Amino acid sequence: MHQMSPDMQACIDECLRCYQTCLGMASNHCLPAGGRHVEPEHLRLMLACAEMCRTSAHFMLLGTSHHRHTCRECADVCEDCARSCEQVGDMQHCVEQCRRCAESCRTMAA
């Protein structure tokens, strides 16, 4: 196994938490809430964010330098998801987790 920096491990942890948060909120909060929570653009963005976070964590765990590319995109998607969740409202946990993940991924993309 390759040697992993503390920053990379922290980013993997943030990505996996964001994956869990976005997927869980989409499934267990947005779907039951209905209304603005299930508008196609918002729901697709949440699912895309979850998948991008999972993919970024996977690339870092593989130890490939290509993680910089996935982390850069992950930071962008997380920021978009945070904004969307903020606009929809009643999703502060998702907003905060997406922003933490975006910040961590920006560090890994540098």
Side-chain angles (χ1 to χ4, degrees):
M1 190 164 150
H2 71 284
Q3 191 70 344
M4 191 176 300
S5 73
D7 284 345
M8 185 175 286
Q9 183 59 58
C11 189
I12 290 167
D13 294 343
E14 290 297 344
C15 284
L16 293 175
R17 273 192 291 274
C18 197
Y19 165 72
Q20 181 179 10
T21 299
C22 286
L23 192 58
M25 290 283 290
S27 298
N28 301 310
H29 176 74
C30 291
L31 287 176
R36 292 178 58 192
H37 287 87
V38 292
E39 287 179 0
E41 188 174 337
H42 173 70
L43 203 54
R44 280 188 202 107
L45 185 54
M46 288 190 72
L47 296 175
C49 186
E51 185 58 25
M52 195 67 233
C53 290
R54 188 202 63 79
T55 299
S56 289
H58 190 114
F59 271 55
M60 286 182 279
L61 287 166
L62 288 173
T64 174
S65 63
H66 291 281
H67 78 271
R68 287 181 180 89
H69 306 294
T70 59
C71 285
R72 188 173 300 112
E73 185 61 23
C74 189
D76 290 346
V77 173
C78 282
E79 284 295 341
D80 289 349
C81 189
R83 275 191 296 276
S84 182
C85 289
E86 205 165 43
Q87 289 171 354
V88 167
D90 191 32
M91 299 190 69
Q92 195 57 33
H93 179 64
C94 197
V95 171
E96 291 168 2
Q97 184 56 55
C98 284
R99 291 204 169 124
R100 279 192 302 270
C101 187
E103 183 180 335
S104 188
C105 279
R106 275 192 290 277
T107 300
M108 283 296 103

